[in-house]
Amino acid sequence: MSDDITRDSNGNALADGDSVTLIKDLKVKGSGGVTLKRGTLVKNIRLTGDADEIEANVEKVRGLVLRTEFVKKA
């Protein structure tokens, strides 16, 4: 893991197990046309080695990688 602190779109530090909310509708590539709507709560995130990305599981998609610029801490 890198020494960089993973931060959400508002600059709040994120940690493993945090919950985040999407701030933009996101189309999920390779999922058959699934779109995650703005305001969707994503629970129990996992940090990756990249400070700009987090991993999460949502209702329709498992093993999803989200860019931190599209989430805010819940």
Side-chain angles (χ1 to χ4, degrees), residues 52-71:
D52 294 329
E53 296 178 345
I54 57 172
E55 288 183 6
N57 290 332
V58 291
E59 186 177 323
K60 300 173 186 170
V61 184
R62 299 287 175 231
L64 181 66
V65 176
L66 294 170
R67 301 273 308 165
T68 55
E69 63 196 86
F70 300 125
V71 299

Side-chain angles (χ1 to χ4, degrees), residues 27-74:
K27 292 182 181 175
V28 181
K29 293 180 181 177
S31 66
V34 172
T35 300
L36 300 176
K37 298 293 183 185
R38 185 180 69 180
T40 300
L41 181 65
V42 179
K43 298 179 182 177
N44 199 20
I45 64 166
R46 292 174 306 283
L47 302 182
T48 64
D50 186 345
D52 294 329
E53 296 178 345
I54 57 172
E55 288 183 6
N57 290 332
V58 291
E59 186 177 323
K60 300 173 186 170
V61 184
R62 299 287 175 231
L64 181 66
V65 176
L66 294 170
R67 301 273 308 165
T68 55
E69 63 196 86
F70 300 125
V71 299
K72 68 177 180 179
K73 194 169 184 175

Side-chain angles (χ1 to χ4, degrees), residues 19-30:
S19 294
V20 296
T21 305
L22 298 181
I23 61 171
K24 179 182 178 184
D25 288 356
L26 299 174
K27 292 182 181 175
V28 181
K29 293 180 181 177

